[in-house]
Amino acid sequence: MLVSIFDFSHTHIFFLLYLPDKTGQEPYYMLNLNQYFLSNTREECCKRFYEWDYYGCTGTRPPTSGEYYPDWTGASSSSSSKCLNDEKMPKYMLNNPSWYLSSTLKECCERHFHWDLIDCMGTQVVGTGKWYVKYVDETCVQDCVGASPCGGIAESWDELFDNKKACCDEKMWYDNKCLSN
């Protein structure tokens, strides 16, 4: 998108005005309605006619200071859910910074990767050490990663218990083998 500079120097008064231009030639209707189409500055013209791509029109970038943005390409790491703060965000994100840019990693991950916060935040979950029922194995397992009795990290919907007996009594009351599994 171009912004033309219109030169009225043939009137012996030299001044420059800006108008929206995609072709390289000013259409006659723009000159006829100059009070609407002509602007004193490039920024004024871009704001009026190209607000949806203001920074592309002005050839500038908005000031950013380490803000995080979603990287959906997955090129930054093995993770496909990642927020970056390297100021190399795609241009379209700069046109709507209130949606795409976040001041913290947590805010960015919560907004754009809410289904994969652990991966996005780069954190490792170790579990609570409490117990929950694992129906596939027909027993109660511990909320942790590792060898048995660990059964992996409990999901947010899993009810947690302080010990295996309480878990078996509450969730697997019909199966006498729960405590021995």
Side-chain angles (χ1 to χ4, degrees):
M1 140 171 21
L2 301 170
V3 177
S4 286
I5 300 174
F6 193 70
D7 178 1
F8 285 106
S9 62
H10 63 279
T11 61
H12 305 293
I13 301 172
F14 182 76
F15 58 95
L16 300 176
L17 295 174
Y18 294 83
L19 63 110
D21 183 10
K22 293 185 180 192
T23 63
Q25 265 188 331
E26 312 78 33
Y28 183 70
Y29 71 90
M30 286 187 182
L31 297 177
N32 235 6
L33 297 169
N34 60 19
Q35 69 278 7
Y36 178 73
F37 287 105
L38 297 179
S39 303
N40 290 322
T41 65
R42 174 185 288 262
E43 290 76 16
E44 182 183 306
C45 182
C46 291
K47 186 172 183 169
R48 184 183 301 161
F49 298 104
Y50 299 109
E51 188 171 11
W52 51 272
D53 190 18
Y54 176 80
Y55 296 107
C57 179
T58 60
T60 62
R61 289 180 68 91
T64 57
S65 55
E67 292 172 297
Y68 290 86
Y69 66 94
D71 174 31
W72 288 301
T73 66
S76 62
S77 69
S78 60
S79 167
S80 60
S81 303
K82 204 64 151 172
C83 288
L84 303 174
N85 68 343
D86 59 7
E87 297 189 19
K88 294 178 183 174
M89 68 279 298
K91 199 159 70 167
Y92 72 89
M93 291 184 185
L94 300 174
N95 292 321
N96 191 357
S98 62
W99 172 249
Y100 291 109
L101 305 183
S102 305
S103 58
T104 66
L105 175 62
K106 182 178 182 194
E107 184 182 310
C108 180
C109 290
E110 286 174 346
R111 179 179 295 152
H112 301 290
F113 300 108
H114 56 88
W115 66 90
D116 197 7
L117 284 174
I118 293 167
D119 195 28
C120 182
M121 295 288 294
T123 57
Q124 186 177 8
V125 178
V126 292
T128 63
K130 295 194 175 218
W131 296 80
Y132 67 97
V133 67
K134 195 162 190 178
Y135 291 104
V136 172
D137 296 338
E138 298 178 340
T139 190
C140 288
V141 293
Q142 204 166 11
D143 179 22
C144 57
V145 177
S148 183
C150 291
I153 303 302
E155 298 293 342
S156 59
W157 57 81
D158 287 324
E159 187 177 354
L160 299 175
F161 298 90
D162 290 331
N163 56 59
K164 186 172 184 172
K165 182 172 180 358
C167 177
C168 288
D169 288 349
E170 179 74 25
K171 294 293 186 178
M172 300 290 292
W173 51 269
Y174 53 87
D175 187 351
N176 293 335
K177 296 182 240 165
C178 178
L179 281 171
S180 61
N181 288 345

